[in-house]
Amino acid sequence: MAESAAQTQYRQEYIQGYEARQSLVRKTVTTETQIKGNSAVFLVADSGSASAVTRGLNGLIPARADNLTQNTATLVEWHDLARKTSFNIFMSQGDGRRIMQDTTASVMNRKVDDDIITELATGTQDTGAVQTGSLALAMHGLTILGNNAVPLDGNISALITPAFYAYLMQTKEFTSVDYVNNKPFTGMLTMFRWANVNWIVHPNLPGKGTAAETCIMYHKDAIGHAINSGEIMTAIGYNEEQDYSFARTSAYMGAKLLQNSGVVLLNHDGSGFAAS
């Protein structure tokens, strides 16, 4: 006969696994809500770098046409469906229905960012040879945009990897009160503002954790994102005949690079902070 009977305690409140759960990028791009149709057209208009002219010998002012470019974002339907039988929910630890709702929303929010990042990464301007994060690399990206007449109007954002952020945290121009008012070490945020740029630490950039990370600096008007009216659709329900519950998210969306001159790829070496 046993002297003691051990009991196992199962915590009913579940702990969220590590994964991106919200869109960090969508608010930094030009968005369009699509009511109907499978494409959205973004119009980019400028003068075509025209110069002022004087009157001609005939006394008339030479006329010109505006430079109008239509860019089409093609919408694609995307879905994520989580399903559990009532018995699975009954016998499992934690709130099975709540877990389905949370995870399916996370999947679709990640897809929003993936679409935008994939399109941004098609930009052809970059900072050249791969290097580690520094003030010089950040200013290189801003200079390229400035040379393209991209306005430094507060609508420039930079998607950076955790490694790039780690290098910035070691830069006095980023952390010293002699240069900035905020104190980065007192509030470790995934989004912050520095040098009039919105910096976003993103966990899913191309090449993260390697010697070939792709960080991206861009202006809001350089990238468009279209999504169906009502944005991400959420459905939660129960099937009586088959006795299962489900949670589904759906969205019809697409991204399109609108102005290549407004995007710069920061070629970054993040291998120094990769796991051993």
Side-chain angles (χ1 to χ4, degrees):
M1 185 175 79
E3 294 183 359
S4 62
Q7 178 174 294
T8 301
Q9 176 76 26
Y10 288 93
R11 176 184 171 89
Q12 288 305 302
E13 187 69 24
Y14 73 92
I15 299 172
Q16 292 183 336
Y18 296 126
E19 61 179 353
R21 295 183 175 275
Q22 60 181 326
S23 172
L24 301 175
V25 182
R26 187 162 182 260
K27 290 184 178 180
T28 68
V29 306
T30 301
T31 57
E32 176 67 19
T33 300
Q34 188 80 355
I35 298 176
K36 196 172 182 62
N38 73 331
S39 62
V41 178
F42 295 83
L43 175 64
V44 177
D46 57 41
S47 68
S49 300
S51 299
V53 297
T54 188
R55 289 183 183 272
L57 295 177
N58 60 1
L60 300 178
I61 300 172
R64 64 165 181 84
D66 284 324
N67 179 43
L68 306 178
T69 304
Q70 293 177 297
N71 302 273
T72 301
T74 301
L75 277 67
V76 179
E77 62 170 338
W78 297 100
H79 308 276
D80 181 70
L81 174 64
R83 181 187 296 156
K84 285 185 174 73
T85 67
S86 293
F87 181 65
N88 282 338
I89 294 174
F90 170 77
M91 72 173 185
S92 298
Q93 181 182 1
D95 187 341
R97 292 185 178 87
R98 176 65 181 275
I99 291 173
M100 287 192 297
Q101 295 171 27
D102 286 349
T103 58
T104 193
S106 300
V107 169
M108 198 55 60
N109 282 327
R110 287 198 298 274
K111 183 58 185 173
V112 171
D113 279 12
D114 287 346
D115 267 10
I116 295 172
I117 291 170
T118 298
E119 191 65 19
L120 282 170
T122 64
T124 60
Q125 299 183 123
D126 62 47
T127 53
V130 174
Q131 57 183 293
T132 56
S134 65
L135 174 65
L137 182 56
M139 293 303 104
H140 190 176
L142 272 176
T143 301
I144 292 173
L145 294 181
N147 287 339
N148 292 336
V150 176
L152 304 178
D153 57 1
N155 287 316
I156 292 178
S157 300
L159 304 179
I160 59 175
T161 60
F164 194 112
Y165 181 50
Y167 282 112
L168 281 183
M169 292 291 282
Q170 301 174 64
T171 304
K172 69 178 186 299
E173 290 84 1
F174 178 68
T175 58
S176 175
V177 292
D178 292 332
Y179 300 92
V180 296
N181 293 324
N182 64 314
K183 299 179 179 180
F185 281 101
T186 62
M188 303 288 282
L189 303 176
T190 57
M191 304 177 69
F192 55 90
R193 190 165 181 81
W194 175 62
N196 205 30
V197 174
N198 305 308
W199 298 84
I200 301 172
V201 183
H202 204 288
N204 294 324
L205 292 176
K208 66 173 181 177
T210 71
E213 294 183 339
T214 300
C215 300
I216 309 171
M217 185 177 289
Y218 59 97
H219 189 274
K220 183 176 183 178
D221 292 340
I223 178 75
H225 182 261
I227 193 169
N228 56 283
S229 178
E231 303 195 343
I232 296 177
M233 300 170 285
T234 302
I236 303 167
Y238 171 73
N239 184 290
E240 292 185 353
E241 180 182 11
Q242 295 296 327
D243 189 28
Y244 65 77
S245 296
F246 70 89
R248 175 181 56 81
T249 52
S250 299
Y252 313 144
M253 58 186 172
K256 183 65 177 179
L257 183 65
L258 306 179
Q259 301 187 74
N260 182 69
S261 59
V263 179
V264 178
L265 307 182
L266 310 178
N267 295 324
H268 185 252
D269 182 355
S271 61
F273 286 99
S276 301

